[in-house]
Amino acid sequence: MTGPIPGTARLLPWAGPEGKPCYVLGDGTGHVSRVADDIESVQLGMAAELLHHAADMLDDRPVTVVQLRYVVARMAESLRDVHRIAESRGERLAALSAGTGG
């Protein structure tokens, strides 16, 4: 099998009420899965841009404490997003591996 296992749960890249994880069931081809793919792509792109911005800030000596606190807060948000993406993809890889016997 080369695609997702039908009926497996996918951790979505957003949280539900009270910060609880959201999942979708399916084969990965539905509307919600496509929206999740798009959001993951945006989140990963924003993380890359934030890393570049943080590196630029560290090269610039006259950065204020307020600026550093702001960028660290955004980095924490971004790291949370990237961690959720990695967790979701890891779960899907494990399900795929279990479904193929390998």
Side-chain angles (χ1 to χ4, degrees):
M1 179 174 280
T2 59
I5 308 297
T8 58
R10 174 187 179 172
L11 177 63
L12 296 171
W14 56 80
E18 301 172 10
K20 294 183 179 180
C22 291
Y23 293 88
V24 65
L25 294 176
D27 63 2
T29 62
H31 176 71
V32 174
S33 292
R34 289 191 307 273
V35 170
D37 290 341
D38 291 344
I39 289 175
E40 285 181 357
S41 179
V42 168
Q43 289 173 327
L44 292 172
M46 289 171 53
E49 289 177 22
L50 184 57
L51 284 171
H52 180 72
H53 180 66
D56 286 346
M57 284 183 72
L58 293 173
D59 289 341
D60 184 18
R61 298 288 178 223
V63 175
T64 68
V65 170
V66 172
Q67 290 171 316
L68 287 175
R69 289 180 65 88
Y70 180 82
V71 80
V72 168
R74 301 298 72 80
M75 290 180 82
E77 292 168 357
S78 183
L79 183 57
R80 192 171 17 260
D81 292 340
V82 170
H83 181 266
R84 185 187 308 265
I85 292 167
E87 185 178 352
S88 176
R89 291 181 181 184
E91 289 172 358
R92 287 184 278 157
L93 285 173
L96 182 61
S97 179
T100 61

